[in-house]
Amino acid sequence: MINIIGLGPGNDDYITKLGERLIYSSEILIGGKRNLETIKDFKGEKIELASNLKEILEYINSNAHKQISVIASGDPSIYGIGKYLSKNIDNKKLNIVSGISSLQYIFSKIHVDMNDLYITSSHGKIPDFDYILSHTKVCMVTDNKIGPHEISKEILSRNLKKTIVVGENLSYDDEKITIAKPEEILKIDKFDMNVVVILDEK
Ligand SMILES: C[S@@+](CC[C@H](N)C(=O)[O-])C[C@H]1O[C@@H](n2cnc3c(N)ncnc32)[C@H](O)[C@@H]1O
C-alpha cells in the first residue's frame, strides 16, 4: 500500500495519530528534506524527494508491494503531491491521509471562518489577480516570485480596500502573523515561508 500522509503545517504536534502510526509502520519513507527531518527514529529507509519526482514515481510503482509512505506538508490534496500521485498511481493501492493545511491553521489563528473561501496558489503560474481579488475571502500559498509584496501591489493598483494577513513559519517557534493594509505590507522588507489571506476591508 502507498500512503500519502499530510504532516500538518510543520510542528509535529499537528500530525494525526493515524498518519503517525502509518509512518512508523512503513518500510520506506519518501519526502522533502524538511519533512523527513521531522520524522525522528524511523527504522526503515528514507528517500529524499527533490526534483526527482518522475524517478520517485517509477520507484513507487515498481515497489507497490512494500509499505511506502510519502509525507507532505499540510494537506497533500491542497497544492501538494496528492494530485500528481493520484493521477499516476493505481488508486486501489493508494491511501491518502489528510493533514491540517497551513491554510486551515492560519484561519484558526485569526478567528475567521473558512466558509466560502477561495483557495489558490502562485506556484508555477501567473495568477489572474482580477479574478482572485473579486472574491471577498482568499487564501493563497505563495512562492519566492509572488508573495505579500506583489499581492499588495496588485490590490493597490486596483484601488481596492483589502486587509492582508501574512502567516509566516506557521506552527514553528518563529511563527509570525501580520495583519495589515497593503501599503503597510510594502514597508516590510522580507517575509519567510508564508501563506497570505486577503479579506475585504470591514
Ligand atoms: C507546495 S505548497 C503546500 C501546501 C500544503 N499542502 C498545505 O496544505 O499547507 C507550499 C506552500 O505552502 C505554504 N506553507 C506550507 N507550510 C507553511 C507554514 N508552516 N507556514 C507558512 N506557510 C506554509 C507556503 O506558501 C509554501 O510555499
Side-chain angles (χ1 to χ4, degrees), residues 8-11 34 72-81 99-105 121 123 140-144 167-172 192-196:
N11 181 322
R34 176 172 72 99
S73 73
D75 188 304
S77 303
I78 301 182
Y79 293 108
I81 198 160
I100 298 170
S101 172
S102 54
L103 280 68
Q104 286 171 289
Y105 181 96
S121 155
H123 284 252
M140 195 162 185
V141 294
T142 60
D143 58 13
N144 52 15
E168 293 169 86
N169 300 324
L170 297 170
S171 81
Y172 292 101
D192 283 348
M193 172 176 68
N194 63 78
V195 292
V196 174

Side-chain angles (χ1 to χ4, degrees), residues 31-202:
K33 192 166 183 283
R34 176 172 72 99
N35 289 332
L36 286 178
E37 279 167 5
T38 63
I39 309 300
K40 308 268 188 295
D41 302 322
F42 179 73
K43 300 273 182 281
E45 185 189 351
K46 284 186 178 179
I47 299 176
E48 193 176 318
L49 178 65
S51 52
N52 51 346
L53 199 52
K54 236 173 152 195
E55 289 108 84
I56 293 280
L57 177 67
E58 279 164 24
Y59 177 87
I60 292 173
N61 278 326
S62 50
N63 288 276
H65 55 286
K66 294 187 181 164
Q67 286 297 321
I68 299 179
S69 287
V70 180
I71 51 173
S73 73
D75 188 304
S77 303
I78 301 182
Y79 293 108
I81 198 160
K83 179 177 174 183
Y84 179 76
L85 295 185
S86 299
K87 273 193 188 154
N88 291 292
I89 295 174
D90 177 359
N91 284 192
K92 289 196 275 309
K93 295 179 187 154
L94 202 57
N95 176 35
I96 302 185
V97 180
S98 294
I100 298 170
S101 172
S102 54
L103 280 68
Q104 286 171 289
Y105 181 96
I106 182 87
F107 275 86
S108 302
K109 286 284 165 182
I110 60 172
H111 310 106
V112 175
D113 65 83
M114 296 178 71
N115 301 348
D116 303 318
L117 173 67
Y118 178 65
I119 294 174
T120 190
S121 155
S122 60
H123 284 252
K125 63 180 176 201
I126 299 165
D128 176 351
F129 276 104
D130 284 330
Y131 182 69
I132 292 170
L133 297 173
S134 70
H135 295 81
T136 57
K137 198 190 290 178
V138 176
C139 191
M140 195 162 185
V141 294
T142 60
D143 58 13
N144 52 15
K145 291 202 184 78
I146 295 183
H149 290 136
E150 293 69 22
I151 295 168
S152 297
K153 285 180 195 158
E154 297 287 346
I155 293 170
L156 290 173
S157 72
R158 288 168 179 78
N159 247 328
L160 297 169
K161 299 271 173 263
K162 303 272 185 187
T163 299
I164 293 185
V165 182
V166 185
E168 293 169 86
N169 300 324
L170 297 170
S171 81
Y172 292 101
D173 291 344
D174 55 350
E175 168 179 302
K176 188 172 173 203
I177 297 177
T178 306
I179 304 179
K181 302 279 165 252
E183 44 272 56
E184 291 156 2
I185 294 289
L186 288 177
K187 290 182 194 150
I188 300 170
D189 254 8
K190 72 176 262 303
F191 293 95
D192 283 348
M193 172 176 68
N194 63 78
V195 292
V196 174
V197 177
I198 311 162
L199 300 169
D200 274 1
E201 204 174 74
K202 282 198 187 126

